């Protein structure tokens, strides 16, 4: 199976096993929701939301290029439109949260020599990941 096929799932798991996040692939990038990023970086959703807002306000990334809305069924059975953020946003937030989990994820996601990230996409412009 090609790792970059739409819908393929890659799992990031910390060395201590305390955090595990499933990232869904679509259009050659990973996508996480606000809730998933909050769990990944072990920070409140309000903190992650503030960092995402700052990424956009500072012009680091353009929302229309890195945010996708997807229908998600909640535990109550209702369907909600949820924002999902691509790998560029996830890495940008990871630099901003200044947490051990953020550091672990950035290493996993950006190290071309790591067997755990060999299937993750590198930036398309040929530069190193942020």
């Amino acid at each position: 199976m090609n790792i970059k096929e739409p819908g393929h799932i890659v799992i990031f798991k910390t060395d201590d096993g305390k955090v595990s996040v499933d990232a869904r692939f679509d259009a050659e990038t990973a996508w996480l929701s606000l809730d998933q990023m909050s769990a990944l970086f072990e920070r409140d959703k309000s903190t992650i939301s503030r960092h995402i807002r700052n990424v956009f306000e500072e012009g680091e990334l353009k929302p229309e290029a890195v945010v996708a809305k997807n229908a998600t069924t909640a535990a109550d059975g209702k369907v909600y439109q949820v924002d999902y953020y691509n790998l560029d946003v996830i890495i940008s937030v990871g630099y901003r949260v200044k947490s051990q989990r953020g550091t672990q994820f950035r290493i996993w996601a950006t190290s071309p020599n790591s067997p755990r990230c060999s299937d993750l996409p590198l930036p398309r412009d040929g530069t190193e990941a942020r």
Side-chain angles (χ1 to χ4, degrees):
M1 171 180 256
N2 181 350
I3 191 77
K4 294 181 182 179
E5 287 178 16
H8 188 81
I9 296 174
V10 173
I11 300 171
F12 166 76
K13 188 171 186 176
T14 58
D15 293 335
D16 61 11
K18 290 183 179 179
V19 176
S20 177
V21 176
D22 299 352
R24 185 164 298 279
F25 270 82
D26 185 21
E28 296 188 11
T29 191
W31 297 88
L32 294 180
S33 69
L34 181 66
D35 287 341
Q36 290 173 306
M37 275 196 275
S38 178
L40 172 64
F41 296 127
E42 296 183 324
R43 294 291 186 261
D44 292 339
K45 289 193 317 185
S46 63
T47 300
I48 301 300
S49 181
R50 183 185 41 160
H51 287 308
I52 292 170
R53 185 177 58 250
N54 289 339
V55 165
F56 298 144
E57 287 177 357
E58 294 169 10
E60 182 177 342
L61 298 169
K62 304 273 187 234
E64 57 273 8
V66 296
V67 180
K69 288 196 180 294
N70 289 311
T72 302
T73 304
D76 62 6
K78 294 181 182 176
V79 177
Y80 297 92
Q81 290 295 316
V82 176
D83 286 341
Y84 282 80
Y85 304 91
N86 80 2
L87 188 59
D88 291 333
V89 177
I90 301 164
I91 291 171
S92 293
V93 170
Y95 275 105
R96 292 166 183 259
V97 295
K98 296 179 178 73
S99 72
Q100 181 180 5
R101 295 290 181 241
T103 301
Q104 288 174 338
F105 181 79
R106 289 193 318 268
I107 291 168
W108 180 82
T110 62
S111 175
N113 298 321
S114 171
R116 292 176 294 177
C117 83
S118 60
D119 295 322
L120 288 175
L122 295 175
R124 293 182 193 157
D125 62 4
T127 62
E128 288 189 33
R130 290 183 290 288

